Amino acid sequence: MTKPTQFIRILLLSAAVFLTINSVRAAFPEKPIKIIIGFPAGGPLDAHIRLLVDKLQSSLGQPVIIDYKAGAGGAVGAQFVMQSPPDGYTLLLANTGTMVINPAIYTKSPYDTLKDFQPIARTAQQPLVLIVNQDVPANSLREFIAYAKANPGKLNYGSAGNGGISHLVPEMLKSETGIFMVHIPFKGSAPAFTDLIAGHVQFMAESVPQAANYAKQGKVKALAVTSAKRNPALPNTPTVIETGVANLDVVGFYGILAPKGTPPEAVNKLSSAFKETLESQDVQKKMIDQGADPAYLNADQFTKFLAQEMPRWAKAVKQAGAKLD
């Protein structure tokens, strides 16, 4: 075989390999995509992703499967995704607690958000609402603080798990007001709400969409929201700052992450699909009506956002004195 012939064969082989690689890249996704939630079904993250899933499936051209790996304030689900193949087919839907509070509040965190994950897209921002059981004799946050001070050690507050935002915000409130409540962690918001409504715990701080729904049904009382401005889903509920009892301005966020090492082509395709989904007027209306703010950031923007949020929340954890082994 002559040298020119060998050279041509090498060129043809290289071209074939190049086309094969790029056809694989262009084909993503070729099978269903699984989104892991580190909390039980029925909670705020579950409700959030179900608003997006139909449009997301249409954009990706593949089914999107929701799976639950509950425990440790979302850490169980996060570890599952961290250890999954970095191929774009196993994603994590996480909240503020899982992404930026857990690494600060645990003495030995099982993961590092920026080292072990590839951010894909931020999907929402939303404040929390401070809520109480209907039998608690308080109709405002100021009345609740007075009641808590008059009954030290008699009040419990529920959370979606150790280390999450629903754990930290009550600790921040305790730190600012000097009240005492006992923390009862659950494996997600849904079981925590069940016990709040039943009166086994008296207080919770939870994301607006689900809490507002229960408040409108008369199952709980909404005392205040943690954002700087009132929330459209609870227009008659004051902000914590308005009540004058504490300087609390806290807004949580949701986002999608993949295992570190996920190919850029998959990252970009997924991020674009979430952008298209969150730009849908129907999706936006439903989210805003529930009290959430569609707040898309692409992969690079979300990475920078997380890098800024982590030290801010680490400072909040330290000031609240919250720490877990």
Side-chain angles (χ1 to χ4, degrees):
M1 185 181 293
T2 65
K3 287 186 177 181
T5 303
Q6 287 179 321
F7 180 68
I8 291 170
R9 289 191 64 184
I10 291 170
L11 282 178
L12 290 172
L13 181 61
S14 298
V17 170
F18 177 80
L19 290 171
T20 300
I21 290 172
N22 280 276
S23 67
V24 169
R25 288 176 175 176
F28 178 88
E30 295 182 301
K31 61 182 181 179
I33 290 171
K34 184 178 289 187
I35 296 179
I36 304 298
I37 298 176
F39 300 92
L45 282 169
D46 190 19
H48 173 64
I49 195 62
R50 293 192 183 281
L51 286 180
L52 311 183
V53 72
D54 287 345
K55 181 67 177 175
L56 190 61
Q57 290 179 144
S58 175
S59 180
L60 290 169
Q62 290 290 344
V64 174
I65 300 166
I66 312 302
D67 197 8
Y68 311 92
K69 306 288 183 185
V76 172
Q79 285 180 277
F80 178 86
V81 173
M82 177 183 73
Q83 296 164 356
S84 297
D87 54 12
Y89 290 101
T90 304
L91 308 175
L92 176 70
L93 172 60
N95 57 15
T96 312
T98 306
M99 285 183 271
V100 299
I101 299 177
N102 276 355
I105 207 168
Y106 279 97
T107 304
K108 294 182 179 180
S109 177
Y111 55 85
D112 183 303
T113 300
L114 294 177
K115 290 182 180 178
D116 295 325
F117 295 95
Q118 167 60 58
I120 300 292
R122 189 181 70 182
T123 59
Q125 286 189 296
Q126 55 192 16
L128 282 73
V129 56
L130 309 183
I131 50 179
V132 294
N133 172 270
Q134 282 285 5
D135 293 334
V136 173
N139 295 308
S140 70
L141 184 57
R142 186 172 292 278
E143 290 178 0
F144 176 76
I145 298 301
Y147 178 72
K149 287 182 176 179
N151 295 273
K154 294 183 180 180
L155 295 177
N156 299 325
Y157 77 88
S159 79
N162 282 321
I165 194 169
S166 60
H167 171 200
L168 184 57
V169 166
E171 291 299 321
M172 294 166 74
L173 184 68
K174 286 167 59 178
S175 177
E176 288 216 18
T177 62
I179 63 173
F180 178 76
M181 295 185 289
V182 177
H183 178 214
I184 309 295
F186 292 82
K187 288 187 176 181
S189 297
F193 269 114
T194 298
D195 271 22
L196 177 70
I197 293 168
H200 302 309
V201 295
Q202 290 74 42
F203 179 92
M204 274 181 66
E206 254 304 340
S207 59
V208 168
Q210 197 169 26
N213 185 43
Y214 283 124
K216 290 172 182 176
Q217 294 175 27
K219 294 181 178 180
V220 299
K221 290 188 282 189
L223 303 182
V225 293
T226 64
S227 50
K229 296 180 180 180
R230 294 196 182 195
N231 189 274
L234 290 167
N236 297 320
T237 302
T239 68
V240 175
I241 294 173
E242 277 184 82
T243 68
V245 302
N247 185 30
L248 211 62
D249 180 3
V250 177
V251 176
F253 55 91
Y254 295 162
I256 297 288
L257 302 97
K260 200 70 171 181
T262 298
E265 295 78 14
V267 171
N268 293 335
K269 187 72 176 285
L270 289 164
S271 189
S272 296
F274 277 100
K275 181 177 187 291
E276 183 180 335
T277 298
L278 289 162
E279 286 179 345
S280 163
Q281 291 186 355
D282 180 55
V283 169
Q284 288 190 0
K285 184 179 185 306
K286 288 177 180 177
M287 286 179 65
I288 292 168
D289 287 346
Q290 288 187 3
D293 175 24
Y296 170 80
L297 291 178
N298 66 27
D300 290 340
Q301 293 167 334
F302 191 28
T303 300
K304 292 175 183 176
F305 174 80
L306 288 172
Q308 293 169 349
E309 287 291 294
M310 295 187 77
R312 189 171 79 86
W313 282 99
K315 181 179 178 181
V317 166
K318 185 177 180 179
Q319 289 176 340
K323 208 69 181 174
L324 295 169
D325 294 326

